[in-house]
Amino acid sequence: MGLFRFIGRLFKLILTLGVVLVALLALAGGLSENFKEFVDTGSGNNNHGDYSYLFKDGNSGSGGGSSGDNTRVDPAPSFAAIIQLTKERNHQKVDIESDNYVFDYVYRDVANRGTKMKWGNRKLSIDNINNRFGLPHDFFKRSFSSEDEIREIAERGYFKVQNNTASPDYNRMIHISRNITRPIYEMIMKKVGQDASYQKPIDELLKFCQDIPYKIPADLYNNKQTGGIFPPSLALTKGYADCDTKAVLFASVLLHNPRYKIVFVTIPGHLFLAIKGVPKPYQKYVTYRGEKYILCEPTGPARLAFGKDGFSNYTINKIEPAKGYYN
């Protein structure tokens, strides 16, 4: 009887081990597929330490728009954006991973340390903005049926028409860029700390923008007139910008924080910003509606500090408030 009892227990043990083994094999099959996807995704990458495959689109819901603005503002994607110190040289790299543009930017921070920003944005969202941008190449030679038609075509390309003159609509560009620039704002705040002083995020963002190569956009893009400016989405995918392009990019990032009030300052041949605040003795400022706004020059390549400008004498042609996401 002892032998039969031993054989019975051994059979039960073998049966139990068999069930466990089958379960483990099934689980391993699933894991191997995930691991294969991981390897296949990463194998196309020549950059070690590239985590762009983690930038997965986890959107839900829909974004809002201003009254009369039928531009879709897609919800921000969910992904692992990173900011870290690096020994790499400055660069602006853009890759396409799945349905995302993956941005890899390196700039020198306030302490002149290499700083890497890496993040992703939905490709469809950026392409929609970039493809709509600009005026038809024959805009000023066409015959229009009404002023409303002229205004509609201009607004579609993020321009505005005033006094029979078409000009880039900075505030429309800020509005449509909300989800494009959100990751940059979050990385800046992660670096300086959520409880950072009023000036620290400004200083950090200044260096990021100033280190983007300076280049004036061509007059035509996609056979449309640019007015010499790019919206933030196009500046980031191209990896270069000029003064007004960087001013809009800077404003569209910083205005994610409602504590900041910004104005665009236009002088002959140039555009820069000013931010509401109490200027220190060494900081220059302009006065707008009785309030002081400290000068902010994101153009570069000179890495001018907050409150400094690169001009000794100039005449201000126009000061225009930047409409943020909270006003």
Side-chain angles (χ1 to χ4, degrees):
M1 290 296 292
L3 178 61
F4 287 112
R5 189 174 301 160
F6 172 78
I7 293 174
R9 289 179 180 177
L10 182 61
F11 178 79
K12 289 181 181 179
L13 179 61
I14 293 173
L15 182 62
T16 302
L17 289 174
V19 172
V20 172
L21 181 61
V22 170
L24 288 175
L25 287 173
L27 178 60
L31 288 175
S32 63
E33 288 301 315
N34 292 336
F35 182 74
K36 182 178 183 300
E37 180 183 357
F38 170 87
V39 172
D40 290 344
T41 306
S43 62
N45 254 320
N46 295 324
N47 296 330
H48 297 291
D50 183 0
Y51 302 106
S52 54
Y53 59 88
L54 294 175
F55 297 171
K56 301 296 184 182
D57 185 359
N59 298 331
S60 62
S62 60
S66 60
S67 175
D69 185 353
N70 59 2
T71 302
R72 179 182 174 186
V73 180
D74 290 321
S78 174
F79 51 79
I82 62 171
I83 182 168
Q84 61 189 27
L85 297 181
T86 181
K87 293 182 179 180
E88 296 180 55
R89 294 179 179 272
N90 285 15
H91 62 243
Q92 294 75 33
K93 299 177 181 178
V94 185
D95 293 317
I96 298 176
E97 294 282 346
S98 184
D99 296 326
N100 294 296
Y101 281 111
V102 178
F103 298 93
D104 180 347
Y105 273 47
V106 173
Y107 68 98
R108 316 329 279 182
D109 67 7
V110 178
N112 203 35
R113 300 172 300 180
T115 303
K116 175 192 281 286
M117 279 190 181
K118 193 160 189 178
W119 75 99
N121 285 121
R122 292 185 63 196
K123 184 177 184 298
L124 179 62
S125 301
I126 288 184
D127 288 347
N128 283 341
I129 295 173
N130 292 350
N131 291 335
R132 289 187 55 158
F133 168 67
L135 296 173
H137 73 283
D138 59 347
F139 180 79
F140 296 102
K141 298 179 181 178
R142 286 188 181 186
S143 296
F144 296 98
S145 60
S146 66
E147 291 186 5
D148 288 341
E149 183 184 5
I150 296 174
R151 188 175 296 107
E152 178 184 352
I153 292 175
E155 290 178 354
R156 190 183 308 155
Y158 317 126
F159 281 72
K160 58 185 178 181
V161 177
Q162 294 177 330
N163 301 322
N164 294 321
T165 301
S167 60
D169 191 336
Y170 304 138
N171 285 314
R172 280 287 307 284
M173 292 184 188
I174 289 173
H175 170 70
I176 62 171
S177 302
R178 178 170 189 162
N179 294 321
I180 305 301
T181 59
R182 180 75 190 185
I184 301 175
Y185 169 75
E186 291 177 347
M187 286 183 287
I188 290 287
M189 296 310 297
K190 180 178 180 180
K191 188 169 190 293
V192 302
Q194 293 295 331
D195 58 346
S197 67
Y198 160 85
Q199 187 168 325
K200 280 187 176 181
I202 296 173
D203 290 339
E204 193 71 28
L205 182 56
L206 266 176
K207 302 313 176 192
F208 171 80
C209 291
Q210 289 167 347
D211 280 0
I212 294 174
Y214 179 90
K215 182 179 177 181
I216 300 174
D219 292 336
L220 291 180
Y221 172 77
N222 276 350
N223 206 30
K224 295 180 182 178
Q225 298 188 43
T226 66
I229 188 175
F230 278 161
S233 58
L234 196 49
L236 292 170
T237 52
K238 290 293 185 181
Y240 65 82
D242 64 341
C243 62
D244 46 1
T245 303
K246 290 191 181 186
V248 173
L249 173 61
F250 183 100
S252 67
V253 175
L254 194 64
L255 288 174
H256 283 284
N257 192 325
R259 77 190 292 190
Y260 297 107
K261 307 299 179 185
I262 300 176
V263 294
F264 294 104
V265 182
T266 304
I267 65 175
H270 189 56
L271 179 79
F272 56 93
L273 303 168
I275 304 174
K276 185 178 178 181
V278 179
K280 298 174 182 177
Y282 56 84
Q283 291 178 318
K284 295 183 179 180
Y285 64 90
V286 296
T287 301
Y288 177 70
R289 295 183 177 177
E291 301 284 352
K292 293 179 179 179
Y293 287 74
I294 304 168
L295 300 190
C296 182
E297 177 57 274
T299 303
R303 291 160 58 86
L304 296 174
F306 183 44
K308 301 289 185 181
D309 62 10
F311 302 88
S312 55
N313 294 295
Y314 51 82
T315 301
I316 295 177
N317 293 341
K318 184 180 180 181
I319 297 180
E320 176 185 1
K323 296 180 181 178
Y325 310 118
Y326 301 94
N327 57 13

